[in-house]
């Protein structure tokens, strides 16, 4: 949670890179915590972070979300096929 807030605070430091006031840069952050005991691949870790980011985007952008732990994420997505 603290790290998510720190990352969002960086938004001010990138404001000058915006295309203009009508197109401000923003941040939507997905956080996935790696726990070695869960035997998770880098790809799975990134997938959890990516899904957490899309939760933020769906709910209005400009915030952060923490992904469920790997076992919970796997259970939620059991039976889904990967492209």
């Amino acid at each position: 949670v603290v790290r998510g807030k720190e990352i969002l605070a960086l938004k001010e430091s990138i404001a000058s890179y915006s295309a203009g006031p009508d197109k401000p840069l923003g941040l939507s952050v997905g956080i996935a915590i790696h726990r070695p005991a869960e035997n998770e691949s880098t790809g799975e870790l990134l997938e959890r972070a990516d899904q957490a980011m899309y939760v933020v985007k769906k709910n209005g952008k400009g915030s952060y979300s923490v992904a469920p732990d790997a076992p919970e994420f796997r259970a939620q997505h059991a039976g889904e096929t990967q492209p």
Side-chain angles (χ1 to χ4, degrees), residues 4-76:
K5 290 178 182 178
E6 290 173 350
I7 292 169
L8 288 175
L10 295 172
K11 182 174 123 178
E12 301 305 318
S13 68
I14 64 170
S16 64
Y17 298 105
S18 174
D22 59 325
K23 296 182 181 182
L25 290 174
L27 294 174
S28 296
V29 180
I31 300 170
I33 299 167
H34 176 67
R35 291 187 170 80
E38 292 176 352
N39 196 26
E40 179 178 40
S41 72
T42 303
E44 290 169 326
L45 177 68
L46 290 173
E47 181 181 355
R48 288 192 304 119
D50 192 50
Q51 291 295 317
M53 180 199 60
Y54 280 107
V55 167
V56 174
K57 288 182 175 283
K58 179 181 174 186
N59 293 319
K61 303 179 183 180
S63 189
Y64 67 92
S65 177
V66 179
D69 288 337
E72 182 181 344
F73 185 82
R74 288 176 186 140
Q76 291 173 353

